[in-house]
Amino acid sequence: MVIDIHNHFFPAAWPDLSERYGTPDWPWIRHTEPGKADIMVGDRFFRHIYSACWDPEVRLQEMDRDGVEMQVLSATPVLFAYDRPLEHALDCARLFNDAALELCSRGQGRLKSLCQVPLQDIDAACEELSRCMKAGHLGVQIGNHVGEKNLDDPGIVTFLHHCADQGAAVLVHPWDMLGQPRMPKYMMPWTVGMPAEIQLAVVALILSGAFDKLPTGLRICFAHGGGSFPFLLGRLENAWHHHPIAHGDCQFPPSHYLNRFFVDSAVFDQGALQFLVATMGADQVMLGSDYPFPLGEESVGALIRASRLAQQIKHKLLAGNAQRFLGLESKSSEKRDSDSATPAGALAQPTQIQSGSEQLTYSSYLKIPELLELQQPQSSPQHHDELLFIIVHQTYELWFKELLHDLDAVVANLQASRTNPASRDEVYEAARLLRRCTEITRVLVEQFTILETMLPTHFLAFRDKLEPASGFQSEQFRELEFLCGLKDEKMLRYHRPTPEAHAQLERRLRNPSLHDVFFEALQALGKLAALPAEATERERFAARARAVQSLYQDEQDHRDWIDVCERLTEFDELVVSWRLRHIQMVERTIGVNMGTGGSAGASYLKLTLEKKFFPELWEARTLLMK
Ligand code: HEM
């Protein structure tokens, strides 16, 4: 399955818009020879196009040639008409929206469309979107600005809310580029102006705090790889941290919001694609070609296919992410962060697990054949116990995935509780999910006994095949530590060989931890006073411990919060038990020898027993006795 979410069409003919509206300079099509045409704007040449723009047969042939299963086509920004009177822009939008559906109806189910709306008038834009969604469009393509208004304009944000309500995918396309008097030649509005326009759109949405208010269910994508945004994210982040004026109105640093939007893959360079995936995450990038225009990808999807990205990531970029973006597949199947960040009470998206007429079975739903393919022993001839070794590790990783999923949701709930400390729902939900985390961790502690049925000699029979792979490289284990608040940047070095894992861990380092949000929530509750900037870390620690102490002393009023504290304490306790059982198993298997990751083995691991996620919860016990 390959889905291209960014490509364009023009109908073969449409009414003379200048005559229809009585105003000059509307786009029109001039057929020059069979299969070829020019788009004109008034009497000015705009672009050469060919029959793939209007002829579904040509399109389907070229899709077959490139191995593309589905295209989601949009009109071309030159038709947006945001600067025209509303009645003309609306009529024009309807003409081309209906033309898109007509073209798709001849596409053997492989052509889908995004509509356009008169974004200069929010009511009319919402109405046309609703009409189009009913008629069969999958979403909308909008320009990245409307005259002087950026995407953070309150009206446009209202429109984005409406898109989320309607389940419409939103593709943001650059247009009407800034600085054109200084770019008269060399296609610079396309090569310089467009990337800057998109960067401006993303930055405006983030810094205005729009993402803090928009529902997490909004599916929005920025064309052309997010323009210059991903490459300059570091610069933006630096400004955010060092200049209060650059903060804008968003709650978190800009990188916190990367999982809130998608970008397409139209970057035309392997290095750029690698960088894009490493920066945005493999769940946020998807195939977009700009086909069939002159600056589009010649063989659609070739850049992704030829990349050195792992097969699994290529699948995401070629189809999986687009299915999520378009609402064609279960939102829960692939994406970790944004789904799990749904606070208590938020409705889950409707789940459409499969498309087409294929009937769901136990096996297809759970992907059993794929799952059973994933155990690939290295020993040859295969050592009997290596299968157990692989399965036990894989099971741990699956549970780590679930823990991250649940803990992210705990973080989201505690954050939500801050905005409304009087509401108890989010606190109950956080405690309920934490209870699940402790039960999972209890299983994780127990599981080592299964591995201990393997004799040390049997492990030694295939151990040399494992080097230099090591538990140090478990990305999810480290994510769990970072998410809970134990952020040791040095551990990133074990993830240099895997850029996506490295980038994900860097994101975890930057994002607020469970520890942070828990104490911020206590602050909002009035239990923890803000300390002066010059307060030492020791004083801050003592204040946090006292805040917990006062919760316990006020049991009558804070049973829900005490429950959260108890669950966090239990989780902390169980993770230490996990560390201890792991060490015992390591000693039982390899004695005090070095690990495959180069550490001193058990004696190194013993040092980690001191680690606690929430030391203040333990300190509070000491204080309660004083
Ligand atoms: C025969 C079985 C195992 C042995 C001999 C073993 C050995 C070791 C050793 C020696 C280390 C220290 C790093 C190094 O030098 O490589 C380590 C770390 C680690 N191992 Fe294991 N391990 C085993 C099974 C497991 C299992 C089943 C898991 C489950 C996920 C696991 C997860 C980890 C993790 C997450 C670390 C990093 C711990 C930290 O940094 O605090 N190990 N292991």
Side-chain angles (χ1 to χ4, degrees):
M1 185 67 159
V2 173
I3 303 176
D4 177 5
I5 60 101
H6 174 189
N7 51 84
H8 300 284
F9 80 102
F10 275 106
W14 62 86
D16 182 335
L17 301 180
S18 295
E19 195 182 281
R20 192 174 171 101
Y21 307 134
T23 48
D25 296 334
W26 284 89
W28 57 283
I29 186 165
R30 178 173 70 187
H31 288 273
T32 48
E33 57 182 285
K36 297 216 166 130
D38 289 342
I39 296 297
M40 304 291 294
V41 176
D43 51 13
R44 185 167 49 85
F45 167 79
F46 176 69
R47 177 171 299 165
H48 294 301
I49 59 170
Y50 71 103
S51 53
C53 272
W54 63 82
D55 185 342
E57 261 180 50
V58 176
R59 242 182 146 92
L60 291 173
Q61 270 166 22
E62 298 195 343
M63 284 163 70
D64 288 340
R65 177 198 67 194
D66 295 346
V68 175
E69 182 74 23
M70 183 190 287
Q71 282 187 345
V72 184
L73 38 98
S74 349
T76 307
V78 71
L79 292 160
F80 282 157
Y82 293 163
D83 53 350
R84 304 273 183 170
L86 169 63
E87 60 274 25
H88 299 166
L90 178 59
D91 182 68
C92 173
R94 285 188 177 146
L95 276 177
F96 286 90
N97 291 339
D98 295 346
L101 288 178
E102 194 280 323
L103 198 147
C104 292
S105 71
R106 293 183 284 133
Q108 299 170 8
R110 293 169 62 190
L111 300 180
K112 305 280 173 196
S113 56
L114 302 177
C115 64
Q116 69 172 59
V117 292
L119 205 52
Q120 63 269 58
D121 184 299
I122 299 309
D123 289 341
C126 291
E127 214 171 295
E128 178 59 5
L129 178 80
S130 302
R131 182 188 82 88
C132 288
M133 291 303 286
K134 278 198 198 96
H137 288 271
L138 295 181
V140 60
Q141 175 190 239
I142 59 171
N144 70 303
H145 67 106
V146 177
E148 300 299 307
K149 295 176 184 167
N150 286 321
L151 292 194
D152 60 340
D153 170 72
I156 300 179
V157 173
T158 302
F159 175 72
L160 294 177
H161 272 278
H162 184 68
C163 293
D165 289 346
Q166 293 279 310
V170 183
L171 174 64
V172 182
H173 200 291
W175 85 302
D176 187 21
M177 277 68 78
L178 45 76
Q180 293 205 40
R182 288 174 53 217
M183 299 190 252
K185 293 190 278 187
Y186 321 128
M187 284 194 85
M188 278 160 76
W190 276 261
T191 55
V192 179
M194 280 193 167
E197 285 288 354
I198 282 291
Q199 181 186 16
L200 177 52
V202 183
V203 172
L205 261 193
I206 293 179
L207 293 186
S208 65
F211 278 123
D212 295 319
K213 297 179 201 113
L214 283 163
T216 51
L218 173 69
R219 297 178 254 122
I220 185 167
C221 172
F222 292 88
H224 307 158
S228 11
F229 171 81
F231 190 69
L232 296 176
L233 174 60
R235 185 175 173 82
L236 182 68
E237 196 82 354
N238 181 51
W240 195 92
H241 284 290
H242 292 102
H243 299 283
I245 197 175
H247 259 218
D249 296 316
C250 55
Q251 285 185 31
F252 304 106
S255 57
H256 175 84
Y257 300 93
L258 297 184
N259 64 5
R260 297 294 301 276
F261 58 91
F262 296 86
V263 295
D264 75 16
S265 63
V267 292
F268 308 98
D269 177 85
Q270 285 299 350
L273 181 67
Q274 289 277 349
F275 178 80
L276 191 62
V277 172
T279 305
M280 290 297 303
D283 289 324
Q284 310 304 126
V285 184
M286 56 194 167
L287 173 62
S289 66
D290 228 343
Y291 167 95
F293 288 159
L295 286 189
E297 189 177 21
E298 257 178 44
S299 171
V300 175
L303 185 75
I304 296 175
R305 287 200 181 90
S307 72
R308 285 185 298 124
L309 294 165
Q311 207 54 34
Q312 192 196 0
I313 293 179
K314 288 185 189 177
H315 286 315
K316 289 185 177 197
L317 268 55
L318 289 171
N321 295 340
Q323 283 173 320
R324 266 184 23 248
F325 171 62
L326 299 167
L328 296 177
E329 222 220 1
S330 160
K331 296 199 117 200
S332 62
S333 59
E334 295 197 37
K335 188 156 186 280
R336 198 187 296 152
D337 279 358
S338 67
D339 279 3
S340 53
T342 309
L347 283 179
Q349 293 291 317
T351 301
Q352 194 184 327
I353 291 152
Q354 57 172 22
S355 52
S357 57
E358 202 186 311
Q359 217 189 354
L360 196 68
T361 63
Y362 174 88
S363 176
S364 66
Y365 173 58
L366 298 173
K367 305 244 182 290
I368 302 295
E370 291 90 335
L371 187 66
L372 300 183
E373 267 301 298
L374 295 177
Q375 294 71 42
Q376 306 284 342
Q378 296 286 311
S379 52
S380 171
Q382 188 186 322
H383 191 282
H384 181 86
D385 280 3
E386 195 182 350
L387 185 64
L388 173 75
F389 186 80
I390 294 173
I391 288 179
V392 168
H393 278 84
Q394 288 182 339
T395 320
Y396 271 107
E397 290 293 337
L398 283 175
W399 282 123
F400 289 165
K401 180 172 180 174
E402 179 63 34
L403 281 177
L404 286 165
H405 183 64
D406 292 326
L407 289 170
D408 274 328
V410 173
V411 167
N413 275 289
L414 292 181
Q415 280 172 330
S417 82
R418 253 182 353 191
T419 45
N420 184 8
S423 154
R424 301 270 148 127
D425 291 355
E426 289 82 5
V427 187
Y428 289 136
E429 182 64 0
R432 185 184 74 82
L433 289 167
L434 280 168
R435 162 100 208 288
R436 180 183 299 162
C437 294
T438 57
E439 292 312 317
I440 293 172
T441 315
R442 220 180 290 286
V443 169
L444 297 188
V445 175
E446 282 304 308
Q447 264 190 191
F448 286 120
T449 54
I450 310 175
L451 205 49
E452 283 174 338
T453 61
M454 177 176 68
L455 293 179
T457 40
H458 291 185
F459 177 54
L460 291 179
F462 61 87
R463 187 186 188 230
D464 60 328
K465 299 276 182 260
L466 309 183
E467 255 157 340
S470 147
F472 272 159
Q473 293 163 335
S474 168
E475 176 202 343
Q476 296 198 103
F477 178 81
R478 207 59 68 200
E479 268 193 71
L480 280 167
E481 283 198 336
F482 288 5
L483 173 58
C484 291
L486 277 178
K487 294 184 175 179
D488 184 353
E489 206 171 335
K490 291 195 295 300
M491 300 316 274
L492 283 183
R493 68 177 186 275
Y494 296 104
H495 301 276
R496 276 193 206 117
T498 45
E500 293 84 26
H502 195 274
Q504 173 65 7
L505 282 166
E506 279 186 319
R507 271 194 290 279
R508 289 280 184 199
L509 272 184
R510 288 191 297 256
N511 289 350
S513 68
L514 178 54
H515 181 277
D516 298 334
V517 297
F518 172 70
F519 284 104
E520 280 160 15
L522 291 197
Q523 212 162 13
L525 195 67
K527 283 281 162 196
L528 176 61
L531 291 186
E534 64 276 13
T536 62
E537 184 38 46
R538 205 190 172 91
E539 287 162 341
R540 289 176 194 283
F541 176 84
R544 290 193 294 263
R546 279 197 306 275
V548 176
Q549 177 195 12
S550 81
L551 274 182
Y552 278 83
Q553 285 168 336
D554 196 4
E555 188 178 337
Q556 200 66 25
D557 283 338
H558 293 300
R559 284 188 202 288
D560 49 354
W561 278 103
I562 292 177
D563 200 23
V564 171
C565 291
E566 287 294 290
R567 299 285 80 80
L568 289 173
T569 311
E570 197 175 351
F571 183 59
D572 223 358
E573 203 172 59
L574 283 160
V575 172
V576 176
S577 303
W578 184 91
R579 294 186 198 277
L580 181 64
R581 283 295 290 119
H582 175 249
I583 295 170
Q584 288 171 329
M585 187 215 48
V586 170
E587 273 193 314
R588 185 167 167 166
T589 315
I590 60 167
V592 292
N593 288 303
M594 278 180 68
T596 44
S599 82
S603 52
Y604 159 79
L605 290 167
K606 280 179 188 163
L607 302 175
T608 67
L609 287 174
E610 292 299 312
K611 292 186 179 182
K612 283 204 173 77
F613 295 144
F614 312 103
E616 297 87 345
L617 294 181
W618 299 91
E619 175 67 10
R621 266 96 181 144
T622 310
L623 297 180
L624 282 164
M625 285 193 57
K626 284 187 179 156

